[in-house]
């Protein structure tokens, strides 16, 4: 046991003090933030100004509001269309487009056209349609002597609150949040299994190819070395995870202080009854009502269980490595496939959480580490969790046992290509 | 250390077949054999990396299976260390794995680094050391915990003559302190120089075991070398057969009944001036090749 602790310590310290680990751990949250913000930044940077001249023959549209990228001009409203058409792109500094509104009734707005040298983007077109609709709506309301508020009252906003009644206690549910949260947890575990599983595999391969393995296993049993490595790297994973959780909480608090005013405005807007705002405010309230402690406990449980199962498999695969990299790929492929299949199942079950597929995938140890955390926010009965966890534990014992048998034989095999038949034999015999 | 009826089989290969011999305490023992003979298998059984299928090995009065890892130091043929670690922490780690306390491991690492002229290596990364320097570090890792038994597999490969001499002297010193040393190599001149007793294994079977001097006596072919200042005229004689002639030196194979002194008298009578006369004992290399070839053809 003392020796296993020594091995854990070495595996942990040599990895945690690496510069790449420190940088990735500290900058990780910022990196993720950047990734989520980047598409918005890029698309806004991509926007260019467009100047549109408007020819309105209907007399209904007297002005259109300029926005960040779009500027409207009615200067040439009196010029006939067939004269304006060949000229609009050269007038003044050159207009990008000509919006033509023909003679029409406000309740039958047909025949509106836009001319441009380059294809109009869909978003611009939809935006133009919506601002013209707004103006026509105002005119129509006035003509019919109707009030906009009256109209909103006639069609109230409906939103259904879901209450889940499975298990003993009733859970306040929100399908959207549940699936987002579940997906997030499942996805993190998926990433962890791949990153740290591969790390274990590389570590074993390094020991084998550098030949230090023979020195080490003349001091400790191969199984001790394998378990020490798996646990040490697992601790590295946990360190990274908790550092990230801590940094993200800090980031949240910072965002809360910096943008606190806007948030409370949002909540006030919710209480004054605007439908959309109400939904946002409800979502935020629901997020705070989630049993986060429970989720976190379950998450760590499946994080560790899944990690141990896959890490021991990856350790066995690493020990099979020959001098050529191709052999490892061949053996690693089925294990990687198991993880990939699990993530596919997980994406499916967050949309349909109460299917037989969801049930089986949440109790079979190879997929449960990814699927179960994703299901938990939807409410999973206690007995199913208990079954899943005991199978997870059993699966962990089983895979480490098998992996240990493969590992202790394969780790000393050099030169000769290992066949799958032999591997199966090592698993079955003493 | 005694081996009795040790056998080990890997699925399709009989790596060791009822190997029995013993290694006297406090000796430098040469374990010899061609590639694939079963040396490494035998060493791995001694170092408890795996167990024998049959047979027993006793060391220091106890079954090898119950021995502490701490009693054994092993330097494998394929040498390797964690390249990213620093020399000091790496050696302390290996020492602690063998059961030393942290302080002990540290003190001994410092002692050995100083002793091998590597006092300033503590903070150096192993990947920054030359191959020979890494091998010195590997040697320290083998002896750090004062094992009672040291197994060295090709310890000099990759070392320059100066460092090889340094390590050789350390091996002699350890031997004088009472450590049993098993030395495995293909280099027969090293075996002749260092080892007192040897065992020769071929295809998993023991084919020769004993003290080097006795083995040489056992395999001698009654050959003598005689040198002259000027080569005499050689006539056919029923006393000897000429084996080879080189410059002013003749190698003779004496007939079974001829005494060595008779040869001296014979050549003195020719009037030639004799400058040297000695018995030619076979080298271990010759014995090794003869025996292995014989065994393979049998």
């Amino acid at each position: 046991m003392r020796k296993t602790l020594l091995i854990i310590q070495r595996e942990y310290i040599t990895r945690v003090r690496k510069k790449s680990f420190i940088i990735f751990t500290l900058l990780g949250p910022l990196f993720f933030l950047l990734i989520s913000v980047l598409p918005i930044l890029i698309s806004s940077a991509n926007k260019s100004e467009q100047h549109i001249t408007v020819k309105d023959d209907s007399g209904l549209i007297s002005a259109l509001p300029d926005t960040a990228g779009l500027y409207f001009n009615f200067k040439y409203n009196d010029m006939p269309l067939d004269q304006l058409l060949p000229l609009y792109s050269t007038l003044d500094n050159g207009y990008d487009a000509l919006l033509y509104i023909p003679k029409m009734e406000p309740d039958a707005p047909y025949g509106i056209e836009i001319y441009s040298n380059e294809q109009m983007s869909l978003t611009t077109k939809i935006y133009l349609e919506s601002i013209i609709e707004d103006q026509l709506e105002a005119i129509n309301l006035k003509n019919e002597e109707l009030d906009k508020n009256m109209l909103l009252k006639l069609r109230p906003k409906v939103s259904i609150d879901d209450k889940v009644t499975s298990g003993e206690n009733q859970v306040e549910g929100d399908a959207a949040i549940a699936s987002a949260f579940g997906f997030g947890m499942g996805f993190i575990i998926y990433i962890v299994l791949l990153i740290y599983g591969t790390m274990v595999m590389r570590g074993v391969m390094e020991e084998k190819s550098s030949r230090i393995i023979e020195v080490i296993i003349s001091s400790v049993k191969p199984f001790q070395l394998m378990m020490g490595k798996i646990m040490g790297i697992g601790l590295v994973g946990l360190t990274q995870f908790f550092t990230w959780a801590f940094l993200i909480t800090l980031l949240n608090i910072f965002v809360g202080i910096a943008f606190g005013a806007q948030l409370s405005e949002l909540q006030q807007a919710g209480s004054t009854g605007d439908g959309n705002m109400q939904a946002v405010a409800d979502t935020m309230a629901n997020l705070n009502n989630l049993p986060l402690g429970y989720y976190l406990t379950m998450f760590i449980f499946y994080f560790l269980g899944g990690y141990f199962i896959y890490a021991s498999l990856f350790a066995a695969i690493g020990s099979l490595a020959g001098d050529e990299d191709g052999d490892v790929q061949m053996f690693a492929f089925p294990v990687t496939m198991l993880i990939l299949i699990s993530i596919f199942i997980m994406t499916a079950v967050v949309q349909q959480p109460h299917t037989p597929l969801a049930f089986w995938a949440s109790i079979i140890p190879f997929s449960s580490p990814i699927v179960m955390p994703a299901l938990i926010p939807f409410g999973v009965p206690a007995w199913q969790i208990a079954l899943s966890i005991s199978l997870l534990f059993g699966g962990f014992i089983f895979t480490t046992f098998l992996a240990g048998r493969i590992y202790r034989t394969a780790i000393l095999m050099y030169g000769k290509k290992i066949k799958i038949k032999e591997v199966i034999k090592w698993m079955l015999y003493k | 250390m005694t081996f009795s009826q040790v056998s080990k089989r890997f699925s399709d290969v009989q790596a060791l077949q009822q190997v029995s011999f013993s290694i006297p305490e406090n000796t430098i023992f040469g374990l010899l054999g061609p590639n694939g003979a079963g040396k490494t298998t035998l060493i791995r059984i001694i170092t408890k990396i795996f167990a024998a299928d049959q047979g027993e090995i006793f060391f220091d009065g106890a079954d090898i299976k119950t021995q502490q890892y701490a009693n054994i130091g092993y330097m494998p043929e394929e040498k390797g260390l964690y390249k990213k670690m620093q020399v000091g922490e790496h050696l302390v780690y290996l020492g602690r794995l063998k059961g030393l306390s942290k302080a002990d491991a540290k003190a001994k690492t410092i002692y050995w680094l100083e002793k091998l002229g590597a006092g300033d290596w503590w903070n150096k990364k192993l990947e920054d050391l030359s191959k020979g320097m890494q091998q010195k570090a590997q040697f320290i890792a083998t002896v750090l915990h004062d094992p009672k038994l040291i197994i060295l597999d090709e310890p000099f490969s990759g070392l320059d003559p100066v460092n090889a001499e340094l390590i050789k002297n350390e091996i002699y010193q350890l031997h004088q302190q009472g450590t049993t040393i098993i030395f495995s190599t293909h280099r027969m001149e090293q075996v002749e120089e260092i080892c007192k007793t040897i065992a020769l294994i071929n295809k998993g079977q023991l084919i020769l075991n004993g003290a080097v001097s006795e083995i040489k006596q056992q395999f001698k072919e009654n050959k003598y070398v005689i040198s002259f200042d000027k080569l005499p005229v050689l006539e056919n004689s029923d006393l000897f057969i000429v084996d080879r002639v080189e410059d002013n030196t003749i190698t003779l194979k004496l007939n079974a009944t001829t005494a060595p002194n008779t040869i001296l008298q014979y050549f003195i009578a020719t009037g030639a001036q004799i400058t040297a006369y000695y018995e030619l004992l076979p080298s271990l290399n010759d014995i090794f090749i003869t025996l292995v070839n014989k065994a393979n053809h049998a």
Side-chain angles (χ1 to χ4, degrees), chain A residues 2-3 6-7 9-10 14 17 206-207 210-212 214-221 412 425, chain B residues 11 44 47 49 69 74 76 78-82 85 89-90 93-94 96-100 138:
Chain A
R2 196 189 78 96
K3 289 180 176 180
L6 270 172
I7 293 165
Q9 200 183 7
R10 192 202 81 85
T14 53
R17 70 178 180 200
E206 184 210 341
E207 269 163 1
S210 76
R211 319 272 164 158
I212 190 172
E214 232 179 315
V215 175
I216 304 284
I217 61 174
S218 66
S219 302
V220 301
K221 292 194 175 69
L412 286 167
K425 216 156 111 191
Chain B
S11 54
R44 284 179 179 171
T47 52
I49 287 176
Y69 284 115
Y74 174 38
E78 298 277 6
K79 286 141 191 95
L81 295 164
Y82 292 113
M85 283 179 92
E89 60 166 359
H90 198 318
Y93 171 65
L94 290 176
R96 291 181 75 192
L97 273 190
K98 283 285 190 189
L100 293 179
Q138 189 112 36

Side-chain angles (χ1 to χ4, degrees), chain A residues 186-198:
Chain A
F187 194 77
I188 290 175
I189 290 188
Y190 156 76
I191 296 282
V192 162
L193 293 188
L194 276 187
I195 291 183
Y196 292 98
T198 316

